[in-house]
Each structure stands twice: as structure tokens, then as C-alpha cells.
Amino acid sequence: MSAATPTAGITPYAPRIRARRGLSVGFMVIALLAITASMLMLGALIVEIAVDGAARLFTDGSATVQEVRGETLIDLPTPENMNWLAWAMPVAILLPFLGLRVVRSLIADIPALAERAIGFATTLPVAVFVHILYVRFESAYYIEYAKAIGVDGASGNIFQLFAEASGFQFVRLIVAGLILPLGIIAAGWFWSNRLRRPSLLLPAIATAAWVVYLFLDPFFLSSYPSRLPAQAGLFSAITGTLYMMVITAAVAFPLGVGAAIYLEEYARRNWFSRMIQVNISNLAGVPSIIYGLLGLQVFVRVLEFERSVLAGACTMALLVMPIIIVSAQEALRTVPPSMREAAYAVGATRWQVIRFHVLPYAFGGMLTGNILAMSRAIGETAPLIAIGALTFIAFLADSPTDDFTVMPIQVFNWVTRPQSGFHEIAASGIIVLMLVLLVMNAAAIVMRQRTRTDW
Amino acid sequence: MARNFFTVMRSSAPTRTASPASNQTPSGQVTAPPPNMKQDAAAGVGVHLDPNLEAVRHDFTEEVETALQLRNVSAFYGSFQAIDKMTMPIPRNRVTALIGPSGCGKSTLLRCFNRMNDLIPGARIEGEIEFEGRNLIDPNVDAVEVRRRIGMVFQKPNPFPKSIYENVAFGARINGYSGDMDRLVEDSLRRAALWDEVKDELDKSGLALSGGQQQRLCIARAIAVQPEIILMDEPASALDPVATLKIEDLMRELAEEYTIVVVTHNMQQAGRVSDYTAFLLAGEERVGRLVEFGPTQDIFTNPIDQRTEDYITGRYG
Ligand SMILES: Nc1ncnc2c1ncn2[C@@H]1O[C@H](COP(=O)(O)OP(=O)(O)O)[C@@H](O)[C@H]1O
Ligand SMILES: [Mg+2]
């Protein structure tokens, strides 16, 4: 059969198998080399960025605000005083656990309800305690801050603080003042309900967020661009990005999903639908700068949106549309034909089948695709430069027709400045951008797992 | 409107136009019976339904109304003809089994009854299927309406990934049912012999049930829209023997209120559950034809066509 002569102890097939194995080892080595090399390069880049960026993004925990900002502003209580709060979470987790242990050793059979009650009883005081401490700390902080920036009548009243705080500070108040105590309560609840994994995961995340928060320099995220690197911040870029993403999603998602529904559910398989399909794939490969030029002509000039958030969002919507369409089509295809048949068989019209069955079952997949498309859009710079997004925005966009900037453009601008201070904050900006991307992609993965149906 | 009474024949009845007549050539000469006819068809004298002398009907001993009357029904997938000129009745309030080897067009025929083949691009039906005086193949007849009145249960249980309650209620809801939904759901589940097993967990996902329970849920779902006919395509082929037995019992019970057409691979099953049996066979060119139709007992104990006997005795693959 084979040309190889059978030798003792070796079947005639052996040479072919060995040859194939040799080949696969070769491919493996190449793949490993490629992966290692790219990982190393990426790692080096990340380390470099992190070292640079950390200088601006984080305080060392003991530095006062004035040191970080390079000028005397006010003498604020430092987050350092609050470091011990980072331990509140692990303690809060241990408490219901230990409490239950103790109670169990005393009483043999505890009813399930009592178990929960014990969980609550042990975590609730800790949560309240943490919350009160936090509010007192934050009040002192903001009273000083308010005095320094000349707000009159600042008091320790938490509601007034909420009223005076704005933007990022407001978020901080909410996050730290409420999320942490609630996280502690949730941990106790999960634990006493024997949901061990979330009970550990939630507090771990909250604790990590808390630690980051303690060391994060809030002013980098809450300041406008400045000609002084020490005072420049990402605030207008972050809000600009958020604003643009919301509009982009609002435009691209319905259009893209609609197109996918048409192609999958309505279009007949003929040359026309095939042509559309091929061109969608082609559009996904068009360089993004081309979309920028298209946006410049169509949205900025012809439709006279000017260099606004709206023009940028529409351009981005075009750019990500192919991704959304293709992923929505894939999501629709995962709905088995048997589901459609089942719905048709009880007398559903085509639209009812789509509305009540196909769409709901595919929606998770569509959202996942949408998040991935958005994370592509968030990093795109070229098309926005083409339509003329600005880099120095010292105000927040109020309406879709305002000027705007986004994170990658801000970073790009800082990188091109000659002063090294700007290079450092560019690195900080990149870290923020990467964190946002990481969170979005993680959300997409989680959502994909969550919404998967095993048919 | 006049109902179709399709047989009143007994073996002694004078309407017995039977084989001798159809074996006459136009010139009046009596020829030998076609080669596929059993030569010694002594007891059962058959009546040929179609001019090809292929489909054979036994004489009926009971008087039944027809729910569906097929006349020269052919089905095509693009240029491929899957079934050819089938003519037969589907008796009302009886279980009719479609049997035959794989690929002979059983599913195709079944899917013609509720216009399910409309959903397949390129699929086409010819001929006439009379349902309450209308030809339901007619493009002017609303397929959605047809499917509401002729329900279907599929080979693989396919409950919606929704709650048990929603599974049953869906069909009624989209068809504008305005009565008491809770009662309809309970009633449908009872008739599908599932109520006692799921009454405490109607919120549970239909997918969380066992295979047999899922299939009964699908039957409940079909019943909930109050159809006249229920089509079942090998409803038990994916189930274990115990679950299969339950489905078979259910079919017998349902036949009191509904007309049931069931495709089955399983001879014993056809023998156990059906009142009437149609035997389909695909020839060389893979075109499915009706070979023999009649009361199940006659088909099984006394088939007229040689090929039917071969199939029933297991001489086909
Ligand atoms: N969707 C389809 N497209 C093209 N041919 C089909 C399709 N479905 C079935 N067929 C063909 O029609 C014939 C009958 O199929 P089917 O009705 O499924 O047979 P059965 O149910 O008796 O096994 C087979 O030759 C099969 O290959
Ligand atoms: Mg079949």
C-alpha cells in the first residue's frame, strides 16, 4: 500500500504519522516563537507605559494633592488615613463566616432563614460603620476643598456636599460611600446563602476598586486639558468619549440589527443579497481614515453637523456597522431552525416569530457584538482627526452639536507635545483607555457566557 | 357543508369496483394483475385509488368522515420531486400512521398538511389537499391560519427556552385568545398528561424538563391553540421506551378529540397506535409514492401489495 517498506516492529503507517508529527512540532515552535515575541514586546510596552503613567495617574498614597499638582493648593487630609478601610471588606467577609461557625457550634440545626439572619446581623454593623466613617472623612475633605476654591457656606452636611460636588467627585461620593457598604452587605448575604463564589468575588472586586480609588489621583480624571502638564486632565476627553459612544451605539445598533434581521430572516438568497453580504465584509476591511473622509464630506459639510459630537458619532456608527451586522447575523444564526418551526407551527406570523423568539434568543449575542464594536470605536483616532475633532476642550459638550474630543485624540495630542511632562500624562491616558477597553471586553465575554442557551 | 364520506364499503358491497375492473385494458381484455400485486389477495379485495394502480385501499368496515382529502399531491424541492401524486383521505378523529423507509417523503408529506414547506426556499406543492371545503395548498389560503388549525409536533422535542407556562400560552396569546389563560394552560397540560408533573413549577424553563416531558410539553403547546388536526413527525424517536409508551397512550387519548397523523419508523408503534396506515415508498429516482392505504389491521395482517408485505415483515432495509 505505502511506499515505505515495513521494518520489524514498525507498521507501514509509521513514517507518515511521524512525518505529520514533525510538521506539527514545527508549526508549534513557530507559533510559540511568534506568541512569545509579541507577548514580550507588548509586555515591555505595557511596563514602559505603566511606569510613566503611574507617576501622574496615581499618588503614592501619602502624597498630598499639592505635591502632585506641583503647586500649593490646599492642605488636604490624605487618603492615607483611610488605607485601613481597604481591610474592611475581608473582615466583613470573615465576620458572617465566623459568626455562623460560632452559632453552629452552639446549636446543631439552624434553619436556613436563621442562617441568613446571622449573615445580615454580622455584616450590617460593619457596613454602617464603614459608611459613617467614610462620610465623615469625605465631608472634611470637601469642606477644605470648598473653602479653597471659594465656595461659601460649605458645611459637613452630606446633602450639601452632593449638591456641590460635580462630575467625577459626585461619582466618587456615590461609589465609595454607598457601594462599599452595600458590597459588604452583599458579601454577607451571598455567604450565608452558601453562594461562596460571588461572596468572595464581589468583595474582592470592591476591595480592589477601593484600593485603586485610594491611590488614584482624582484630579487627572476630573481636570480639563491645560498647557501645564501637572494640571492637565482627561475630563473632557472621557466625557466626550462617553457622549460619542452613546450616540454611536444609538445609531449603529438599531440600524445594524435591522440590517442583520433583513439579511437573515427576510432576504431571499439571490444575487442581490449575496452582493450586500460580500460588500458588508468588504466594508469591514476599509481603512478607518476613509470613513473619516466620508464623514467629513457627508456629515460635517453636506449635512452641516459641523465638527460636532454628532458628526463624530455618525462617522463611528458607519465604521462599526459592518461589525455589528455580522455579529448580529451570527447571533441570529445560532437560533436553531427548530425554534422558528415550533413558533410557526402554532400559527405565528413571520414577524411574531422574529419578535417573540428569534430576537430575544439572539439578543445577548447581539449585545456582545455591540460591545465589541464599541470597544473598537473607542480606540479609533484617525477618522475623528479627519473630521476635525479638537484636542483642547476646556468645557463639556452640552448638546450633540458641540465641539468635542475623545481619549485617543487627547493622548495623541499629548504624545506630540515636546515637554516630557505631557508624555507622562499621555501614558496615564493610555492606561485609562486600556482599562476601559478591558472592562468592555470582559463585559462582552461575561455576557456571552450568561446569555448562552444550550439548545 | 357536505362532509366527505369516503367509504361505506364492505366486501359484499356492490360499490366494489375493485381489481378486476381496473385490470381491464381499454379494449376490454382482462390482463394479469400488475406484478406488484399479491396474486393470492383472496380475502382483502383492494380498490385502486390512482390510475397508476399503485396505491391500494382496503375496504373499510367503518364509516368515517375525512378531515383531509388528498388528491394528486406532489411536492418538490427545487427541481427534485420528493413525492408524486398521492391520493388518500385522512380520517377524522382517528390516528393515521405514515410508514415507510427513510427518505420516502413521509416528513415532506406531513409538512404539506400545514404548509410548513412554505418556509423552505424553493419548495413547492402541487395537487389538492381539501380541508373543510377549501384547498389548503392554494396560495390564497393563509398559511398562518392553516398552521393554527393544523398543529405540529416535531421529531426532536423543541420547547421554547421560556417557562413551561409561556411555552403553552404563547400560541394562544399570539392568536388573540381572550379567555382565562391560566385555565387554558392547565387544561392543555392536563390533556398532554403533564400537569401533575409540572403543576408546581410552571415558571421553570421548558428546557429543564426531561426529553419525554419536553415532548409532552410540545404536545400541550400544540393543543393550546385548539387545532383540529395534530401532525406528529416521529414524536417518540428521540425518547426512551417508557417515555415512548406515554406518548403512544397520549396519542390514543387525543384521537378522541383530534385527528392525528403520525409519522413513524417503528412498525410496532404504528400497529399499536394507529387506526389507519399509509405505506409510502420511494422508487429508483427517489420519488416517494403511496403504495397502500387502509385500516391498520388490514395493512398489517393482510397487505395487498407485495412491497407492503416485504416492508412490514422487515424484508426492506
Ligand atoms: N429541505 C430539503 N431540501 C431538499 N431536499 C429535501 C429536503 N428535505 C427532504 N428532502 C428530500 O426529500 C426526500 C424525502 O425526505 P423526507 O420527507 O424527509 O423523508 P422521510 O421523512 O420519509 O425520511 C428525501 O430524498 C430528502 O433527501
Ligand atoms: Mg422524516
Side-chain angles (χ1 to χ4, degrees):
Chain A
M1 5 161 103
S2 111
T5 24
T7 39
I10 303 174
T11 67
Y13 297 103
R16 266 178 61 204
I17 291 172
R18 206 180 296 141
R20 210 184 294 142
R21 189 173 298 150
L23 206 61
S24 74
V25 167
F27 276 125
M28 205 175 71
V29 169
I30 293 174
L32 275 180
L33 277 179
I35 292 171
T36 320
S38 50
M39 293 291 265
L40 278 178
M41 285 191 285
L42 200 65
L45 185 70
I46 288 174
V47 167
E48 199 178 326
I49 289 174
V51 168
D52 275 1
R56 183 63 176 83
L57 192 55
F58 301 111
T59 69
D60 65 2
S62 63
T64 59
V65 172
Q66 81 217 50
E67 279 165 6
V68 173
R69 300 183 60 78
E71 62 190 72
T72 309
L73 189 62
I74 39 169
D75 201 12
L76 290 180
T78 63
E80 153 189 45
N81 307 330
M82 299 294 290
N83 282 357
W84 63 270
L85 266 184
W87 301 107
M89 281 301 233
V91 171
I93 299 162
L94 282 179
L95 268 180
F97 177 64
L98 290 177
L100 269 183
R101 266 291 170 86
V102 171
V103 176
R104 276 225 189 81
S105 63
L106 297 177
I107 313 165
D109 263 337
I110 331 170
L113 203 66
E115 276 203 23
R116 278 183 219 177
I118 294 164
F120 268 120
T122 42
T123 46
L124 212 51
V126 183
V128 170
F129 185 60
V130 166
H131 179 71
I132 290 173
L133 269 180
Y134 174 78
V135 167
R136 287 191 54 180
F137 166 78
E138 199 77 4
S139 304
Y141 192 86
Y142 276 98
I143 288 165
E144 290 298 323
Y145 182 65
K147 273 188 205 150
I149 61 172
V151 176
D152 288 331
S155 69
N157 186 324
I158 188 75
F159 296 108
Q160 194 172 353
L161 280 177
F162 274 126
E164 281 161 10
S166 69
F168 185 67
Q169 293 144 3
F170 185 75
V171 174
R172 263 171 33 125
L173 272 173
I174 299 275
V175 168
L178 291 178
I179 303 265
L180 190 69
L182 287 181
I184 291 173
I185 293 177
W189 189 82
F190 279 130
W191 185 274
S192 39
N193 276 289
R194 299 166 183 240
L195 297 166
R196 295 294 141 85
R197 217 153 49 141
S199 90
L200 294 181
L201 198 66
L202 258 186
I205 293 173
T207 309
W210 180 251
V211 171
V212 168
Y213 158 73
L214 281 179
F215 291 97
L216 197 66
D217 175 7
F219 294 98
F220 179 61
L221 299 179
S222 60
S223 304
Y224 294 102
S226 161
R227 54 193 173 77
L228 302 172
Q231 289 185 16
L234 262 184
F235 195 42
S236 51
I238 290 177
T239 52
T241 291
L242 280 180
Y243 207 166
M244 199 185 74
M245 284 306 119
V246 168
I247 300 180
T248 304
V251 172
F253 189 63
L255 284 181
V257 167
I261 290 177
Y262 168 74
L263 285 173
E264 282 301 307
E265 307 289 329
Y266 285 95
R268 294 180 166 252
R269 302 274 176 270
N270 53 20
W271 65 269
F272 182 68
S273 61
R274 266 197 301 279
M275 188 186 72
I276 293 181
Q277 193 68 60
V278 166
N279 276 311
I280 287 172
S281 312
N282 285 342
L283 284 177
V286 171
S288 55
I289 186 74
I290 308 284
Y291 282 99
L293 296 175
L294 175 79
L296 179 65
Q297 185 60 27
V298 174
F299 299 121
V300 177
R301 295 195 183 137
V302 176
L303 295 178
E304 295 182 354
F305 289 170
E306 305 297 327
R307 306 172 159 192
S308 62
V309 182
L310 189 59
C314 290
T315 310
M316 279 300 180
L318 284 187
L319 178 75
V320 299
M321 194 84 78
I323 306 177
I324 294 184
I325 294 177
V326 170
S327 64
Q329 278 185 293
E330 257 153 37
L332 288 172
R333 265 180 239 139
T334 61
V335 178
S338 65
M339 281 304 122
R340 292 164 224 253
E341 289 194 328
Y344 278 120
V346 289
T349 61
R350 186 194 292 252
W351 171 242
Q352 284 169 332
V353 173
I354 295 171
R355 162 76 185 73
F356 294 108
H357 294 283
V358 179
L359 260 189
Y361 307 154
F363 201 68
M366 290 176 172
L367 275 187
T368 308
N370 189 49
I371 293 178
L372 291 179
M374 288 303 120
S375 70
R376 160 99 194 268
I378 235 176
E380 277 295 344
T381 325
L384 295 182
I385 291 181
I387 68 161
L390 301 181
T391 52
F392 195 97
I393 300 283
F395 55 87
L396 296 184
D398 286 332
S399 80
T401 50
D402 282 347
D403 291 345
F404 73 109
T405 189
V406 292
M407 284 196 273
I409 289 189
Q410 189 68 68
V411 169
F412 173 70
N413 174 259
W414 284 337
V415 169
T416 55
R417 300 284 190 95
Q419 301 100 313
S420 69
F422 278 116
H423 298 168
E424 280 178 12
I425 59 172
S428 306
I430 290 173
I431 293 177
V432 173
L433 193 58
M434 291 213 319
L435 281 179
V436 172
L437 279 177
L438 213 65
V439 168
M440 288 179 83
N441 285 314
I445 291 171
V446 168
M447 197 172 291
R448 182 177 300 167
Q449 297 296 329
R450 273 287 143 111
T451 57
R452 178 148 57 197
T453 316
D454 289 321
W455 302 102
Chain B
M1 190 204 69
R3 295 278 186 217
N4 262 327
F5 289 89
F6 72 78
T7 16
V8 216
M9 294 186 297
R10 298 184 168 275
S11 34
S12 57
T15 42
R16 177 163 165 277
T17 41
S19 2
S22 18
N23 284 340
Q24 277 176 352
T25 57
S27 60
Q29 267 186 314
V30 177
T31 59
N36 56 16
M37 286 284 285
K38 260 180 29 168
Q39 298 298 315
D40 57 345
V45 180
V47 177
H48 296 295
L49 278 187
D50 74 26
N52 302 336
L53 304 183
E54 296 214 49
V56 176
R57 185 174 65 182
H58 288 253
D59 17 331
F60 299 147
T61 51
E62 69 169 351
E63 196 170 280
V64 219
E65 292 176 33
T66 48
L68 295 173
Q69 176 65 49
L70 283 71
R71 294 194 190 94
N72 292 325
V73 176
S74 304
F76 303 82
Y77 294 107
S79 57
F80 170 69
Q81 183 170 14
I83 57 181
D84 183 39
K85 295 209 190 71
M86 294 194 180
T87 299
M88 67 170 170
I90 301 291
R92 184 183 298 276
N93 286 11
R94 295 288 183 276
V95 180
T96 304
L98 305 180
I99 62 170
S102 287
C104 67
K106 305 182 295 293
S107 300
T108 303
L109 179 62
L110 200 70
R111 293 163 61 91
C112 290
F113 294 168
N114 67 345
R115 298 272 297 266
M116 219 55 176
N117 276 349
D118 286 15
L119 304 174
I120 299 173
R124 191 159 52 83
I125 316 173
E126 282 174 8
E128 186 189 346
I129 301 180
E130 188 188 315
F131 175 57
E132 311 214 320
R134 288 179 305 174
N135 177 10
L136 59 75
I137 291 174
D138 187 343
N140 295 328
V141 171
D142 182 12
V144 169
E145 172 69 8
V146 169
R147 291 186 203 120
R148 195 195 69 66
R149 305 191 49 190
I150 305 182
M152 190 164 204
V153 176
F154 298 83
Q155 181 165 5
K156 193 167 162 279
N158 57 353
F160 302 127
K162 301 187 179 217
S163 71
I164 294 173
Y165 187 98
E166 271 309 308
N167 261 285
V168 181
F170 172 71
R173 191 168 289 145
I174 57 164
N175 285 300
Y177 178 74
S178 57
D180 183 347
M181 190 62 83
D182 291 352
R183 274 198 51 193
L184 179 73
V185 170
E186 177 177 343
D187 198 45
S188 307
L189 285 169
R190 272 191 200 285
R191 284 191 207 190
L194 189 61
W195 174 252
D196 290 331
E197 288 159 62
V198 301
K199 61 170 179 264
D200 296 324
E201 39 188 21
L202 292 177
D203 291 336
K204 211 165 87 170
S205 165
L207 290 178
L209 298 174
S210 74
Q213 288 174 324
Q214 286 189 6
Q215 195 61 300
R216 276 178 283 149
L217 179 60
C218 293
I219 293 175
R221 178 175 70 192
I223 294 172
V225 283
Q226 300 165 348
E228 277 119 74
I229 304 175
I230 301 177
L231 312 172
M232 301 189 180
D233 192 349
E234 305 191 33
S237 67
L239 306 182
D240 63 76
V242 177
T244 301
L245 221 58
K246 275 194 184 152
I247 300 283
E248 287 179 7
D249 290 345
L250 192 54
M251 275 191 246
R252 292 268 22 128
E253 277 168 35
L254 290 176
E256 285 167 19
E257 280 179 80
Y258 307 93
T259 303
I260 293 182
V261 187
V262 56
V263 169
T264 175
H265 243 103
N266 180 330
M267 282 310 109
Q268 287 83 5
Q269 186 171 68
R272 279 193 300 266
V273 302
S274 70
D275 303 301
Y276 291 85
T277 298
F279 172 57
L280 279 54
L281 192 62
E284 298 279 277
E285 356 66 288
R286 300 199 298 142
V287 181
R289 294 202 169 81
L290 177 65
V291 173
E292 192 163 349
F293 174 86
T296 299
Q297 231 190 342
D298 294 353
I299 294 268
F300 274 70
T301 55
N302 201 5
I304 290 176
D305 196 289
Q306 185 62 44
R307 295 168 295 177
T308 313
E309 180 166 312
D310 289 349
Y311 184 70
I312 283 165
T313 53
R315 247 173 278 164
Y316 273 100

